[in-house]
Amino acid sequence: MYEVFQQRMHPLGKFAGRDIACMQKLQRNCCTSWRWKACRTFSACPTIAPTARPYDIASTILTAQGRTLHPNKLVPESPPPSAQDLNFLCKFVERSQRLVVLTGAGASTESGIPDYRSPNGAYNTGFKPMTHQEFVRSVTSRQRYWARSYVGWRRFLAALPGPTHKVLSKLEERSRIFGIITQNVDRLHHKAGSNPIELHGTTHVVVCLECGDLVHRQVVQEKMKELNSEWSKAVEMLEKGEAGSDVSFGLQQRPDGDIEIKDSFNEAFNIPHCDKCGGMLKPDVVFFGDNVPQARVDAAKSMIQAGDSLFVVGSSVMVMSAFRLVRLAKDCGLPVAILNIGPTRADELASIKVEARSGEVLPRLLSMLSLNVHPI
């Protein structure tokens, strides 16, 4: 590993004494571990100039604070569901005529997108999510967000629906599900064939905060490519597995689609503006500290009120926008079932709670419903 890293970094030129010490420390640590934190002092290396070439950017653009996790490593450890758990959930779904499903980040972990609060989640890697206030008031924060998003977008876009998305779509096709509300912004439900209410919006759409114009995220991606030609070249190198690629460093994918990048490179990133009015562009997602649009809240509430039961899948229900929906369901007399690894904010409101992987439970549940039999 050390030799590979040294070979990758060699084009940056001769190592200063400080760099050599860093490399020696990296060599000692990497013999037994994939913990790249040992080399993070490279952020202060004097050999990397502010006017770095694309190869330099590609070699140093990442924080080196983590590695890309295999989807299975993103899913928290959990014992398999018991026959009793499956039996309870099967009866719950069968008895419902208008089942509403509320999904969270745990539904997408098996697609390679981390959640926030599990042991393997983003919060446990030191990730601090962007707030609405920070995004709006700080140019530097917007540069940081869009730079990370630019690098991570293609990988985020390439994510495929997991077993949870696919099973829920099949249950919709068979009229077992009345509607889906998702807290996720990745549109994997759409890729699986569903059309859920996106409670927190989606990264696939960008909104102008001045005139309200909506454009597809890929359009903004192309604009950023035009405005940041050096970044574009660096990203191409990363995608080809060249210097600084996720093979040698490790890209840290975030739940909202961005990737961790060194702050020194964010400052040189040029941000696009609205073509119609020149206003500020923002992904059409609800950042922390922002409010869910009232029309979306009303649509979600109407779906809950029109349903006869609520099934929470892969969500800790910690954010108030989601918890209010579960509480509304309970107030309306709807039975609530929760399938999630670990505690949730709504555990006391649930009549059924199963702690297991949704990607393991739902395919088995689908099979049981198809056969119309229950395990003993």
Side-chain angles (χ1 to χ4, degrees), residues 157-306:
L157 186 63
L160 298 175
T164 298
H165 309 101
K166 294 177 182 178
V167 170
L168 292 177
S169 179
K170 288 183 180 296
L171 290 174
E172 277 188 303
E173 292 176 1
R174 300 178 186 183
S175 300
R176 293 282 190 178
I177 291 178
F178 175 67
I180 298 176
I181 303 168
T182 184
Q183 301 171 70
N184 300 337
V185 299
D186 51 39
R187 289 227 157 151
L188 291 180
H189 281 298
H190 289 79
K191 288 185 179 181
S194 299
N195 187 28
I197 293 175
E198 295 175 308
L199 191 64
H200 297 151
T202 174
T203 55
H204 289 244
V205 177
V206 176
V207 61
C208 173
L209 296 182
E210 302 297 328
C211 69
D213 187 47
L214 298 174
V215 295
H216 193 277
R217 174 63 177 75
Q218 189 59 37
V219 174
V220 177
Q221 185 78 0
E222 294 302 323
K223 288 182 180 179
M224 289 190 287
K225 181 177 180 179
E226 294 174 5
L227 293 171
N228 301 276
S229 58
E230 297 302 294
W231 277 78
S232 175
K233 294 174 184 177
V235 171
E236 288 177 2
M237 289 180 178
L238 291 171
E239 291 173 346
K240 292 177 182 178
E242 296 181 9
S245 74
D246 58 347
V247 175
S248 60
F249 274 88
L251 295 174
Q252 191 90 6
Q253 181 74 66
R254 301 305 188 189
D256 55 356
D258 71 4
I259 278 182
E260 198 72 27
I261 299 173
K262 289 182 178 179
D263 288 338
S264 58
F265 290 102
N266 295 326
E267 298 171 359
F269 194 81
N270 297 310
I271 306 172
H273 295 87
C274 177
D275 284 340
K276 290 190 175 181
C277 72
M280 183 188 302
L281 294 178
K282 171 184 171 293
D284 193 22
V285 300
V286 178
F287 283 157
F288 286 84
D290 200 358
N291 296 316
V292 179
Q294 191 58 47
R296 206 177 296 161
V297 172
D298 293 342
K301 286 183 176 180
S302 296
M303 181 177 287
I304 296 287
Q305 291 167 338

Side-chain angles (χ1 to χ4, degrees), residues 100-103 310-315 317 326 336-340:
V100 178
V101 178
L102 173 65
T103 67
L310 177 64
F311 188 12
V312 179
V313 177
S315 175
V317 202
V326 182
V336 176
I338 297 177
L339 171 59
N340 186 68

Side-chain angles (χ1 to χ4, degrees), residues 37 65 120-127 252 254:
K37 292 183 179 180
Q65 291 182 348
N120 297 331
Y123 286 160
N124 286 300
T125 65
F127 170 62
Q252 191 90 6
R254 301 305 188 189

Side-chain angles (χ1 to χ4, degrees), residues 54-109:
Y55 199 104
D56 302 340
I57 298 174
S59 299
T60 59
I61 202 171
L62 307 176
T63 58
Q65 291 182 348
R67 62 190 184 280
T68 299
L69 292 175
H70 186 278
N72 288 341
K73 294 182 180 180
L74 291 175
V75 183
E77 293 293 330
S78 177
S82 67
Q84 185 180 46
D85 289 338
L86 293 171
N87 192 26
F88 283 153
L89 288 178
C90 188
K91 289 181 177 179
F92 179 84
V93 174
E94 280 190 332
R95 290 170 180 170
S96 175
Q97 299 299 311
R98 297 185 306 280
L99 176 66
V100 178
V101 178
L102 173 65
T103 67
S108 295
T109 52

